[in-house]
Amino acid sequence: MGDSLGLIGKRLLLLLSDGSSAAAAGGGAVEQAAWLRGTVRAVSVIGLVFVEFDDSPWRQRSWVQVYGDEVRAVLMESAIVWANCSDPSLSAAQWPALMFKPLVDHVGLGSLVPVEFFGARTLAFLPNGSSLHTFEVGNCHKICVVIFLHVLIQNFCTVKVDVHNHLILGLCVIYVAGQSVLKDQNKVRRLKQSGESFLQDGSCINVAPHLHKCRECRLERYRKSREDEDDDDPSVSCRFFHFRRLAFTKKGVLRVEGFLSPQQSDSMAMGLWLPSLTVHEGLDLDTSKYILANVGDQFCQLVMSEKEAMMMVEPHQKVAWKRAVRGVREMCDVCETTLFNIHWVCRKCGFGVCLDCYRLRKNRPPEGRYDKGSVFSWLKCAKGQPHEPQNLMPTQIIPGTALYSIGDMVHAARGKWGIKANCPCTSRHSKPLSGAANSVGNGATSTSATTRPNGEPAAGAAVKTEPVEEAGIADTTSGSSGTNSSTPSPAPAPTPATKDGKGSSSALHWLADLATQKEPKGETNGVFTPDAKRICASLLLRHRHKKINVLNMFLFIYFCSFSLKQADKMKGGLPNFLDHIIASVVETKKSGTAPRREGLMGLSVLDPHTSHSWLCDGRLLCLQDPSNTNNWKIFRECWKQGQPVLVSGIHKKLKGNLWKPESFSKEFGDQDVDLVNCRNCAIISDVKVRDFWDGFQVISKRLKGGDGQPMVLKLKDWPPGEDFRDMMPTRFDDLMENLPLPEYTKRDGRLNLASRLPNFFVRPDLGPKMYNAYGLIYTEDRRVGTTNLHLDVSDAVNVMVYVGIPEGDSDQEKKVMQTIEEGDVDDMTKRRVYEAKEKPGALWHIYAAKDAEKIRELLRKVGEEQGQENPPDHDPIHDQSWYLDQTLRRRLYEEYGVQVWSIVQFLGDAVFIPAGAPHQVHNLYSCIKVAEDFVSPEHVKHCFRLTQEFRHLSTTHTNHEDKLQVKNIIYHAVKDAVGTLKAHEPKLGRS
């Protein structure tokens, strides 16, 4: 196949031997054949290419045997040419196109020349190639990079385009990169005569070597001088490229004229930051409303933070605009957080700092009282000069006023669609849209006056409701915290507020009256059954001093009342059921040695369509059918309360042979890896991965430590980084095909906010990531973790794909059961071992995200008792230096009231861990686990908070760098949701 590396990234046309291919063999029907189009992502030495086909999901990316029997033709991108296009929507002029050449041609193309036009993306087979010539601009050959953008052209304005810089073809933008404008003598002559400024269109070294060079160009020049290289590296990421403006003086000397301003943005740049006018793929109406309900408040905080940043700009300072660059993640040079919008830049070297670092440095105490360890180190400028905050230039990334426009759209959409808002900008009111009725203020709470979508005032205004189009839609009235849900009900509306204006109190009294009223003798068909009334009265009497979501309680009892009556008739189950309902509606606090609170067992009657059980004494949902399409409904009720969830039975759907240790050993045995000794955290470097896999289930083959005993090892970062998909494509497809809750976990899942980040940006590394380790089964191992206590910035699902029971220890089953007994595991979980005979793999302990600070307080206290130091840039959880054994867990519960979810992960179990939830893992047997990260609407607030928290960690922490880009994810998720709602506004008008 020639130079295989040269094929990667190129376009490919493929024709397989099906009915249409046979027809194409005659040559006359080639244009009508079922040609597949895609991009080559990987190439094998045996003639295989890994193709990403157009408009196909991940699972349809596959390997193609180029010279296989079923392949009729394989055509590969060859060159960019000018060609006549017959598309009636285009003019008769020539247009840029990709020309293809055949690698395999069994259909007899003959003189036909295949081309694919940019912009229209149409495929054509031209009679001959005589009319084709190489694509060029002016007299110089160029390198073309194709960038696909959805360009939003507002008010039908005409966009003037300079063909020498770029071409707009429909929704396609072709950027022409090549020699600088300064290489064209005619243009240079005109620029000198006019004195007109122009954008720097190359690296500092090539364009302006005598002017101040940015940091990247200076480092690149230093590197090349050390390596004695003369050629300029085109991959240099110049910080002033298309940012700094240059101009010639009257004497013809090049000087810096300034920088781009936000008002100089164009429609192409705005198109990346404003919603399109069409419904986004994978984003329906209900999902959009749910995203705004959960993420809208966080977005408003973003907008407020940006406004506060603008207030820090001095009146005499001008704000610059730095256009977002495809494939470049702008980062703070101090704390390595992704730069979202407002930041400060050095005009001389391009050094950039985020809002938080700028504020911290600007507000620091006088130099005499300045603690150098309390602030991140700031890099020096040219000639060793320090960067002073007052000398830096305020810069924004989002063009124009797009950010504030989206903010206005969010408030208007939430008011118009009846989506509850608890955002901080409570004094602001949304603007009414054209043809819209009066809408609720953006800061409305559940007790504020509201207006229904049809314009009618809501009675009572104590509870907000919205019309429902179909059963089971997304909960769009829950606040950003996601702790309460409101569902439309056929119940009568509450009475108006009392004189003192306490609407919620009136609703409480109304519910109490309804629950305690007497029903006529012989009538039992009211809204509440007698049993339900007793429950309601009990709730109000026992918890009258606690904060209760009245609507939640009413709806819960209403839907449960009939099931309660049946349960009472059959087996007198009312008392237990009453406890379950009380536990799921009212958040009780632990006092003394009270028994554990049972969580959401009452949900079983709300959704009978999912096979599930409850573990951890009723506090942990276990879904038993991973392929059930209704799983997300009951999952979300637990997930929004910050609870982990277990899904079992996934191993029955996976291809088991792919996940066996001998399979990994055979395929990758010669790779060099690092191992970690779980008992002492020592690293064993440069060993073959075969040494690990061969001892996975055979203790005698394990590597031995200095004491001659077999070590308990785990693989460190294997496969490394983002290599899982490229290194193990078959396993990647198998995992992605069978991940539970695909709405959340798939890369294109509708409730995975990471899927909303455009391809223009560097995609965050969300996995999959493998965790491979031996089991810890001895008594002394129970104080040691396979993975110590830590927390992650995003949500995650961890799947147990293989459990290996090692040979060579006859008492290991007994030791494992002793570990489970000491792990505070509930009886239901133990039955899975004793009765169901399932394979236990790992013992998890997961804590709620809200308890993280209490855990830190305990660990700091224990550390001080043991004489340890607590440096300011370290954290007892993020350091991953603690494993909470039974003693520490018990102390945490007794001193701080913090409960834990003790979970045994069996073969085929998937553990869902909420963002920010501290957790630890202790392998019972040798385990192969694979984890995939995602960003759910319910927990994005934790992602946002943790990003700020991780900034203050030392650079040695793996989570220090902000790879998630949570602010960008929030922005584009809200942008797409707002766009979808605007596209559905005609439907709202008809309702």
Side-chain angles (χ1 to χ4, degrees):
M1 293 182 64
D3 182 10
S4 62
L5 292 179
L7 300 180
I8 297 176
K10 288 193 173 182
R11 296 282 294 167
L12 173 143
L13 303 180
L14 177 67
L15 189 60
L16 299 177
S17 57
D18 53 14
S20 58
S21 300
V30 170
E31 297 183 29
Q32 286 74 40
W35 288 93
L36 300 175
R37 290 187 275 178
T39 304
V40 177
R41 294 305 184 194
V43 178
S44 170
V45 294
I46 60 174
L48 290 171
V49 292
F50 189 64
V51 183
E52 175 186 339
F53 290 106
D54 293 355
D55 303 322
S56 297
W58 287 98
R59 60 179 178 273
Q60 293 186 19
R61 300 184 180 194
S62 57
W63 287 94
V64 176
Q65 178 69 48
V66 174
Y67 304 109
D69 295 335
E70 74 280 4
V71 174
R72 302 288 296 166
V74 178
L75 310 179
M76 193 65 62
E77 164 194 339
S78 174
I80 300 178
V81 297
W82 290 105
N84 291 324
C85 184
S86 60
D87 191 327
S89 64
L90 301 176
S91 67
Q94 290 188 328
W95 293 87
L98 277 178
M99 181 177 69
F100 291 81
K101 65 179 181 181
L103 293 180
V104 175
D105 180 13
H106 296 312
V107 296
L109 288 171
S111 61
L112 292 180
V113 180
V115 296
E116 183 182 48
F117 289 95
F118 291 125
R121 304 294 289 172
T122 56
L123 181 64
F125 293 84
L126 305 181
N128 57 66
S130 60
S131 63
L132 302 178
H133 56 276
T134 306
F135 178 82
E136 58 184 42
V137 176
N139 297 321
C140 302
H141 291 274
K142 304 293 180 180
I143 301 172
C144 294
V145 180
V146 182
I147 303 176
F148 294 95
L149 296 174
H150 290 286
V151 181
L152 176 63
I153 303 178
Q154 293 179 309
N155 301 323
F156 305 97
C157 61
T158 301
V159 181
K160 296 181 179 179
V161 180
D162 181 2
V163 72
H164 294 289
N165 291 329
H166 51 263
L167 301 170
I168 297 182
L169 307 178
L171 296 180
C172 172
V173 181
I174 303 178
Y175 277 99
V176 181
Q179 290 181 329
S180 168
V181 66
L182 299 180
K183 302 296 183 181
D184 189 328
Q185 294 302 320
N186 293 328
K187 291 185 179 180
V188 170
R189 191 180 303 112
R190 289 197 300 267
L191 289 172
K192 286 183 177 180
Q193 291 174 353
S194 65
E196 180 185 356
S197 64
F198 60 95
L199 280 178
Q200 180 174 324
D201 54 1
S203 68
C204 301
I205 298 173
N206 284 342
V207 175
H210 64 284
L211 297 178
H212 289 297
K213 300 175 185 62
C214 75
R215 294 183 52 80
E216 302 297 336
C217 291
R218 279 170 34 207
L219 290 172
E220 183 63 20
R221 186 178 66 172
Y222 173 77
R223 183 184 70 81
K224 290 194 172 298
S225 65
R226 298 279 293 181
E227 297 178 2
D228 296 326
E229 296 181 8
D230 297 326
D231 297 334
D232 185 27
D233 187 353
S235 65
V236 173
S237 181
C238 176
R239 299 195 179 194
F240 292 147
F241 178 75
H242 278 189
F243 178 39
R244 186 166 64 176
R245 302 193 68 85
L246 306 175
F248 287 102
T249 65
K250 293 182 179 180
K251 295 183 178 181
V253 178
L254 197 63
R255 62 181 174 84
V256 176
E257 182 68 11
F259 295 83
L260 277 175
S261 67
Q263 292 73 31
Q264 293 174 314
S265 59
D266 51 45
S267 60
M268 289 184 295
M270 295 291 287
L272 182 65
W273 300 95
L274 287 177
S276 66
L277 300 178
T278 58
V279 177
H280 291 270
E281 182 180 357
L283 197 61
D284 55 26
L285 174 62
D286 296 327
T287 303
S288 299
K289 292 159 70 177
Y290 188 72
I291 288 175
L292 278 193
N294 286 272
V295 186
D297 291 344
Q298 212 66 49
F299 177 81
C300 288
Q301 289 188 21
L302 268 184
V303 176
M304 288 188 64
S305 176
E306 293 296 311
K307 290 181 177 179
E308 292 173 1
M310 290 300 295
M311 294 177 65
M312 298 175 63
V313 177
E314 300 294 337
H316 65 277
Q317 290 182 313
K318 291 184 178 180
V319 179
W321 171 55
K322 192 176 193 311
R323 181 193 294 266
V325 180
R326 184 183 183 90
V328 174
R329 180 157 59 94
E330 301 285 352
M331 295 171 57
C332 174
D333 284 316
V334 177
C335 70
E336 296 183 342
T337 299
T338 299
L339 295 175
F340 168 63
N341 186 34
I342 296 293
H343 61 290
W344 277 259
V345 174
C346 174
R347 296 174 178 84
K348 294 182 178 180
C349 70
F351 168 83
V353 295
C354 66
L355 166 63
D356 298 295
C357 289
Y358 179 84
R359 182 189 290 117
L360 190 63
R361 183 66 173 260
K362 187 175 182 180
N363 297 335
R364 74 181 186 182
E367 203 67 33
R369 295 183 286 113
Y370 170 55
D371 180 11
K372 293 184 179 180
S374 63
V375 179
F376 297 110
S377 175
W378 281 40
L379 300 173
K380 296 295 182 69
C381 190
K383 300 181 180 180
Q385 297 175 341
H387 285 113
E388 296 298 337
Q390 63 271 19
N391 297 329
L392 299 182
M393 174 178 61
T395 307
Q396 68 182 61
I397 295 176
I398 302 177
T401 59
L403 175 65
Y404 309 116
S405 297
I406 296 292
D408 291 338
M409 293 179 191
V410 168
H411 289 100
R414 293 208 288 189
K416 189 164 189 176
W417 291 91
I419 303 172
K420 189 172 72 172
N422 293 311
C423 56
C425 41
T426 54
S427 60
R428 192 171 170 191
H429 295 278
S430 60
K431 299 177 181 179
L433 301 179
S434 59
N438 295 332
S439 57
V440 65
N442 71 297
T445 63
S446 60
T447 58
S448 62
T450 184
T451 305
R452 299 185 187 279
N454 60 10
E456 298 176 3
V463 180
K464 292 175 111 176
T465 61
E466 64 171 357
V468 179
E469 298 175 4
E470 56 182 339
I473 67 167
D475 171 17
T476 60
T477 57
S478 58
S480 64
S481 62
T483 55
N484 296 321
S485 63
S486 302
T487 309
S489 166
T495 56
T498 54
K499 293 181 180 180
D500 59 2
K502 297 180 180 178
S504 61
S505 176
S506 300
L508 195 64
H509 291 153
W510 168 81
L511 189 57
D513 292 340
L514 181 61
T516 54
Q517 71 180 2
K518 291 186 177 181
E519 204 169 282
K521 187 175 181 180
E523 294 185 16
T524 58
N525 295 323
V527 175
F528 285 111
T529 64
D531 292 335
K533 291 182 180 181
R534 296 205 308 272
I535 294 171
C536 186
S538 176
L539 282 170
L540 295 172
L541 291 174
R542 293 167 56 183
H543 304 281
R544 58 186 179 275
H545 299 303
K546 298 183 182 294
K547 185 178 180 180
I548 304 175
N549 185 314
V550 178
L551 182 60
N552 264 8
M553 182 174 65
F554 169 73
L555 295 173
F556 199 95
I557 297 173
Y558 174 78
F559 286 119
C560 294
S561 59
F562 301 102
S563 297
L564 283 172
K565 184 165 59 176
Q566 295 299 322
D568 192 30
K569 285 181 179 179
M570 290 188 295
K571 44 188 168 183
L574 181 59
N576 289 336
F577 210 76
L578 174 59
D579 290 339
H580 297 161
I581 293 179
I582 293 174
S584 62
V585 176
V586 182
E587 183 177 353
T588 58
K589 293 185 177 180
K590 173 245 174 207
S591 59
T593 57
R596 296 180 181 180
R597 175 174 63 90
E598 297 187 357
L600 289 164
M601 293 189 70
L603 284 175
S604 59
V605 296
L606 286 182
D607 193 352
H609 305 294
T610 57
S611 176
H612 64 279
S613 59
W614 297 91
L615 305 176
C616 294
D617 298 328
R619 296 184 301 114
L620 177 70
L621 171 66
C622 178
L623 295 166
Q624 297 167 331
D625 180 5
S627 59
N628 192 321
T629 57
N630 291 313
N631 280 340
W632 66 272
K633 299 176 183 178
I634 188 171
F635 167 84
R636 189 173 67 188
E637 295 305 316
C638 299
W639 192 246
K640 68 172 57 173
Q641 298 187 34
Q643 300 179 0
V645 174
L646 196 68
V647 181
S648 62
I650 299 170
H651 64 296
K652 299 174 184 177
K653 304 175 69 63
L654 294 172
K655 298 176 182 177
N657 291 334
L658 293 176
W659 304 101
K660 291 183 178 180
E662 52 266 28
S663 175
F664 290 107
S665 180
K666 180 180 179 180
E667 292 184 50
F668 311 105
D670 292 329
Q671 290 187 7
D672 293 323
V673 295
D674 292 340
L675 304 176
V676 179
N677 188 334
C678 295
R679 290 194 175 108
N680 56 19
C681 296
I683 297 179
I684 301 97
S685 301
D686 298 328
V687 297
K688 299 297 182 183
V689 73
R690 180 182 293 108
D691 296 333
F692 171 83
W693 291 116
D694 290 350
F696 197 77
Q697 294 182 119
V698 183
I699 296 178
S700 61
K701 292 184 179 182
R702 293 182 177 178
L703 299 178
K704 295 179 173 57
D707 57 358
Q709 296 298 316
M711 290 184 287
V712 178
L713 301 173
K714 70 176 176 180
L715 266 175
K716 179 178 171 60
D717 297 328
W718 189 85
E722 303 177 29
D723 293 346
F724 185 96
R725 179 187 171 193
D726 296 332
M727 191 167 130
M728 306 176 182
T730 307
R731 293 176 178 85
F732 175 87
D733 292 338
D734 188 40
L735 178 71
M736 289 298 172
E737 182 72 22
N738 296 294
L739 277 178
L741 281 307
E743 298 85 359
Y744 285 89
T745 56
K746 291 290 183 69
R747 295 188 173 189
D748 57 353
R750 61 185 178 87
L751 292 173
N752 183 0
L753 297 187
S755 67
R756 307 316 321 164
L757 191 66
N759 290 327
F760 186 90
F761 296 90
V762 178
R763 305 306 298 268
D765 179 17
L766 299 178
K769 185 175 178 61
M770 287 186 73
Y771 296 90
N772 313 290
Y774 300 163
L776 293 155
I777 61 175
Y778 296 102
T779 303
E780 60 271 16
D781 292 336
R782 290 171 196 154
R783 301 174 63 87
V784 178
T786 307
T787 302
N788 286 344
L789 187 74
H790 69 288
L791 56 81
D792 297 311
V793 71
S794 61
D795 303 301
V797 55
N798 185 294
V799 183
M800 181 73 72
V801 296
Y802 187 85
V803 175
I805 301 178
E807 305 170 1
D809 189 345
S810 58
D811 294 333
Q812 58 187 341
E813 183 176 352
K814 181 179 179 181
K815 295 171 183 175
V816 165
M817 289 311 304
Q818 289 176 346
T819 304
I820 292 176
E821 290 288 347
E822 293 183 11
D824 305 321
V825 174
D826 68 322
D827 292 335
M828 287 287 290
T829 299
K830 294 174 186 175
R831 290 194 196 120
R832 295 183 69 182
V833 182
Y834 292 120
E835 299 176 9
K837 301 297 181 182
E838 297 186 60
K839 279 187 178 181
L843 173 65
W844 289 66
H845 293 102
I846 304 177
Y847 292 89
K850 63 183 178 63
D851 292 327
E853 195 53 45
K854 295 179 181 178
I855 298 174
R856 287 190 180 94
E857 188 175 335
L858 173 69
L859 295 180
R860 289 192 182 104
K861 182 191 299 185
V862 175
E864 291 175 358
E865 294 170 359
Q866 298 176 358
Q868 299 178 8
E869 296 183 358
N870 292 312
D873 60 347
H874 286 266
D875 183 280
I877 296 179
H878 300 318
D879 291 348
Q880 298 191 31
S881 57
W882 289 88
Y883 180 81
L884 303 185
D885 58 13
Q886 189 177 36
T887 302
L888 287 177
R889 294 196 302 270
R890 186 170 297 158
R891 184 172 173 181
L892 184 61
Y893 179 74
E894 292 174 350
E895 296 182 20
Y896 295 90
V898 174
Q899 284 187 290
V900 63
W901 285 277
S902 298
I903 305 170
V904 174
Q905 185 183 21
F906 292 81
L907 174 63
D909 282 357
V911 180
F912 282 79
I913 310 103
H919 58 282
Q920 62 185 23
V921 186
H922 178 104
N923 278 15
L924 302 168
Y925 289 121
S926 297
C927 298
I928 302 176
K929 300 188 286 286
V930 188
E932 174 79 359
D933 296 339
F934 59 97
V935 182
S936 66
E938 295 87 351
H939 298 154
V940 73
K941 59 183 180 297
H942 293 304
C943 303
F944 189 85
R945 174 181 55 82
L946 289 169
T947 298
Q948 295 298 101
E949 192 174 287
F950 288 147
R951 289 179 58 253
H952 299 282
L953 299 177
S954 68
T955 54
T956 59
H957 286 80
T958 56
N959 284 326
H960 171 69
E961 182 182 337
D962 173 29
K963 296 179 180 179
L964 189 60
Q965 307 175 63
V966 64
K967 290 184 179 180
N968 277 331
I969 288 177
I970 291 173
Y971 182 95
H972 290 284
V974 168
K975 177 202 72 176
D976 290 352
V978 167
T980 301
L981 291 179
K982 287 182 70 67
H984 281 89
E985 281 180 9
K987 180 187 297 185
L988 180 63
R990 293 193 301 267
S991 61

